[in-house]
Amino acid sequence: MTQTRILAGGIAAAALIAGTGGFLIARATAPAAPVASMPKTAAAAEPVHDPLALSPAAIGAAAIMVETVNAGGLGAEVIASASVTAPPQGQAVLTARAAGAVTRIFKRLGDPVRQGEALAIVESREAAQIAADRRTANAKAGLAAKTLARERSLYQQRVSPRVDLEQAEAEAAVATAEAQRTRLAANAAHVTADGRGVVVASPISGQVSSSTASLGAFVQPETELFRVADPRRIQIEAAIGTVDAGRIAAGDRAVIEIGDGQTVTARVRAVTPTLDAGTRQATAIIEPAGGTFRPGQSLRVRIAPRVGAFSADIVVPDDAVQSIDGRDMVFVRTATGFAARAVTVGQRSGGRAAIVAGLKPGQQVATHNAFRLKAALAAGGEEAGEH
């Protein structure tokens, strides 16, 4: 006779062990088949326990992570340490364009910044000189333009010779060029409107990731005052050993492990053709398909090269394999929740386990917090024994 039970007791037991709270699981059961129907040494493709019905909300509340498995074997995986960095176009180093004292600071560490926005002002005698040169050049250019207009009029009236007109044209051209030079110099230095200082502005939008500016400090043009990084423009650099560097190529599939069982799919964009002189390692540039990362963040990356060692074994995290009734099992995601399946575990290495039998490529298995499903299954068995 089929019964529907709420296995709150199993989840409560798991919560007491983990210290992280529980969740509700609804389980539909049928009369249990004899355990002897499957030898403990054999892996099965069919569930050996009744499935656990779980809503997406309950799965999320229990922080159970799932991962899509693929064939390849431990020998095919390249596991490497990685870090999040900002590409050249995703980071800007800001310095004062003229020597002087920092008189105003508008942004602090972590503040958002728009492209062209001012972060500080540096009062500078050099800026005053640049502004004065610009005003002088503009005045000379204006005078030369008037002189040229007068000489052109006199030449047309046949009062002045052509040589005077040509002289005026040359002087006007020189004055115009000088005015343009001083204008470009003032713009490059970001001279303030009053000509007393220079503006420290960001060439990109992003956030202030570093700030060393202090009010009143005297700075030189090459002194770094701020660093701005665009969190939308990041790349992940993985350190690859000498042996594995030759196996990895652009386009290879990768998985980024963020922590707490969270993963993000990715691909290899490029691999450096030479080894770093200090570390004797190559660098693989990884492009994530999603997720949120911050420059400086440390990660672990799993790369599946398309060439080299390969097997039909499926690799899962060690956390995904649970011992139930003396057998190794994993919880496979179903349309209504999870189903426990017996598997045969082969080699283990680096927190990963090779599944020799019991899983198929493309299936989704519970990884992080899979032990909570095991606790719920055990609680259901105890409850079944009471009836």
Side-chain angles (χ1 to χ4, degrees), residues 249-268:
D252 285 345
R253 193 166 38 84
V255 175
I256 302 168
E257 297 180 351
I258 301 176
D260 293 332
Q262 299 183 61
T263 60
V264 174
T265 58
R267 72 176 185 89
V268 177

Side-chain angles (χ1 to χ4, degrees), residues 163-262:
V163 65
D164 289 348
L165 175 61
E166 293 175 348
Q167 179 67 28
E169 289 175 341
E171 292 176 353
V174 170
T176 300
E178 180 63 14
Q180 184 178 12
R181 183 193 68 79
T182 56
R183 183 169 59 254
L184 292 176
N187 291 340
H190 296 160
V191 175
T192 57
D194 59 10
R196 297 177 55 185
V198 294
V199 177
V200 180
S202 176
I204 64 171
S205 297
Q207 287 182 298
V208 179
S209 59
S210 174
S211 176
T212 59
S214 299
L215 281 176
F218 188 88
V219 297
Q220 297 294 338
E222 65 273 12
T223 303
E224 178 180 323
L225 299 179
F226 300 94
R227 193 176 290 251
V228 175
D230 186 348
R232 299 169 302 175
R233 299 178 181 178
I234 59 97
Q235 66 183 22
I236 296 174
E237 298 182 2
I240 308 299
T242 306
V243 176
D244 293 324
R247 299 172 50 203
I248 300 174
D252 285 345
R253 193 166 38 84
V255 175
I256 302 168
E257 297 180 351
I258 301 176
D260 293 332
Q262 299 183 61

Side-chain angles (χ1 to χ4, degrees), residues 59 64-68 261 263 331 333 338 364-368:
I59 295 173
I64 297 173
M65 303 296 175
V66 297
E67 181 178 318
T68 303
T263 60
F331 288 90
R333 186 75 165 92
F338 290 92
Q364 289 186 323
V365 301
T367 55
H368 186 64

Side-chain angles (χ1 to χ4, degrees), residues 12-152:
L16 289 175
I17 296 172
T20 56
F23 58 90
L24 293 179
I25 297 179
R27 181 183 176 204
T29 63
V35 176
S37 63
M38 174 176 289
K40 292 185 178 182
T41 57
E46 296 300 323
V48 295
H49 285 273
D50 296 327
L52 298 172
L54 275 174
S55 67
I59 295 173
I64 297 173
M65 303 296 175
V66 297
E67 181 178 318
T68 303
V69 297
N70 294 284
L74 285 173
E77 282 191 341
V78 176
I79 299 178
S81 298
S83 61
V84 182
T85 63
Q89 69 275 21
Q91 181 173 257
V93 177
L94 309 186
T95 65
R97 302 300 177 87
V102 179
T103 57
R104 298 188 68 183
I105 296 176
F106 304 111
K107 295 291 182 178
R108 297 178 297 176
L109 189 66
D111 285 351
V113 178
R114 298 188 308 274
Q115 183 179 8
E117 188 174 6
L119 280 75
I121 290 179
V122 176
E123 192 171 291
S124 169
R125 287 181 294 179
E126 294 180 16
Q129 185 61 53
I130 293 173
D133 291 344
R134 179 179 58 182
R135 288 193 296 269
T136 300
N138 288 339
K140 289 182 178 180
L143 178 60
K146 293 179 180 179
T147 301
L148 175 59
R150 184 174 63 253
E151 289 297 333
R152 184 175 288 117

